[in-house]
Amino acid sequence: GLTCCYFKHLGWPARQIMTNPILTAVIGAYMDTKLSTRRISGFIRANALNMSDYIKQDYRCFNDFFTRHIRPELRPLPQDPVCLSAPCDGRLSAYHLEETGVFDIKGSRYDVRALLGGDPRAALFSGGDCLVFRLCVDDYHRYHYIDDGEKGENVFIPGRLHTVRPIALEHTNVFIQNCREYTLMQTRHFGTVAQIEVGALLVGRICNHDGAGAFTRGAEKGCFYYGGSTVVLLLQKGRATVDERFFAATRRGEETRVLLGQGGGGVAVRAPV
């Protein structure tokens, strides 16, 4: 489809149109209408979705369907609370942050401070780790809290809406150019964690449910409306030990399929104090 290869085949003017938030807003408005329900059956067939995995409900629009609730027993949290659970379904890539807060994705250099819109608290993550969870259109599109704790206000950073597919990462600093929303969370087991929700091509809205305040491990934090999207976690140095297999796969140019909670083992554990 177009989102798979538009960076290869579209010129700069066409990419500017495709990534403009106004176009996404128009498409998103349509996806909120009853007329858009006619797209649901074809989407289920095209993506071979097993609808028995989801709580049965009546969909008033396509976005109701897109943000459908999965049966909670299919996404158990790790039993051990010191295991950091995946915040969402997705394809995981893992990166070590340099002491300067810089990391490399497919030849593009990213700076954590720029990712957080210039927030000086980005320095908290120097030498830590960055976990990138890329959601595809057929994934469960709600994301959840990784631990108990207290969070600050959500900070929205406007931008464009490039696709987050790997092909795009080779051509542009997607996560710094795209619309995104972040919050800093003081967690019980992992210190300060930054969570960034990144919009992508044809994502109508990033919808976080809560402002500043307490949160509970496994509770729903928010959801993405129609399109692909990404959740990024920034972890402080020495506060969590990420499974090495995720870094190894990323170095090979591979993403690792993970599910919300990631079963019994999580994607990281609290480092010894």
Side-chain angles (χ1 to χ4, degrees):
L2 183 59
T3 56
C4 291
C5 56
Y6 86 117
F7 267 92
K8 285 185 176 180
H9 300 297
L10 293 185
W12 183 85
R15 290 202 298 269
Q16 291 297 101
I17 294 171
M18 287 295 297
T19 62
N20 192 313
I22 295 175
L23 175 63
T24 292
V26 171
I27 295 172
Y30 166 70
M31 293 301 184
D32 282 336
T33 67
K34 185 174 179 59
L35 188 63
S36 65
T37 57
R38 66 177 63 182
R39 295 175 51 90
I40 293 174
S41 59
F43 187 94
I44 292 171
R45 289 193 302 272
N47 292 284
L49 298 181
N50 182 359
M51 294 306 295
S52 65
D53 289 348
Y54 298 90
I55 297 172
K56 189 175 182 180
Q57 66 180 93
D58 292 326
Y59 302 120
R60 298 166 300 172
C61 62
F62 188 85
N63 269 331
D64 270 0
F65 160 74
F66 193 73
T67 57
R68 59 199 177 277
H69 290 271
I70 203 158
R71 289 163 48 199
E73 66 270 21
L74 297 179
R75 296 295 185 272
L77 294 174
Q79 292 186 350
D80 189 342
V82 304
C83 288
L84 188 154
S85 64
C88 59
D89 289 3
R91 280 73 174 165
L92 171 60
S93 300
Y95 305 90
H96 294 299
L97 301 175
E98 298 176 9
E99 291 296 334
T100 56
V102 172
F103 62 107
D104 182 275
I105 300 181
K106 294 185 178 294
S108 293
R109 300 286 280 172
Y110 284 84
D111 181 272
V112 170
R113 184 159 181 163
L115 185 64
L116 297 181
D119 193 321
R121 294 174 295 176
L124 293 169
F125 306 103
S126 296
D129 294 315
C130 175
L131 302 180
V132 178
F133 301 84
R134 183 176 68 88
L135 288 74
C136 294
V137 292
D138 55 337
D139 282 322
Y140 170 60
H141 262 71
R142 294 177 180 267
Y143 44 89
H144 296 242
Y145 290 108
I146 60 170
D147 198 5
D148 299 329
E150 296 271 343
K151 67 181 287 288
E153 291 291 350
N154 305 305
V155 180
F156 179 74
I157 302 173
R160 304 196 73 82
L161 290 166
H162 297 282
T163 177
V164 292
R165 288 178 176 271
I167 182 69
L169 304 182
E170 299 175 7
H171 295 265
T172 187
N173 286 39
V174 167
F175 300 135
I176 291 174
Q177 294 187 16
N178 277 21
C179 297
R180 57 200 183 278
E181 193 161 314
Y182 75 91
T183 187
L184 268 65
M185 307 184 294
Q186 306 302 319
T187 67
R188 180 179 179 186
H189 295 104
F190 306 101
T192 302
V193 176
Q195 179 161 322
I196 307 111
E197 293 89 30
V198 184
L201 190 69
L202 304 184
V203 173
R205 291 187 299 279
I206 299 168
C207 179
N208 278 300
H209 301 324
D210 311 310
F215 58 85
T216 303
R217 181 175 183 256
E220 186 179 307
K221 184 177 186 294
C223 64
F224 292 107
Y225 287 85
Y226 178 67
S229 35
T230 296
V231 173
V232 178
L233 293 182
L234 300 178
L235 306 174
Q236 288 183 288
K237 183 178 181 179
R239 297 306 299 262
T241 302
V242 179
D243 193 320
E244 175 56 31
R245 68 187 175 96
F246 299 122
F247 295 109
T250 301
R251 288 192 293 270
R252 295 192 301 269
E254 301 171 1
E255 298 173 302
T256 305
R257 182 80 167 99
V258 298
L259 300 177
L260 170 68
Q262 191 62 15
V267 297
V269 296
R270 180 181 64 184
V273 178

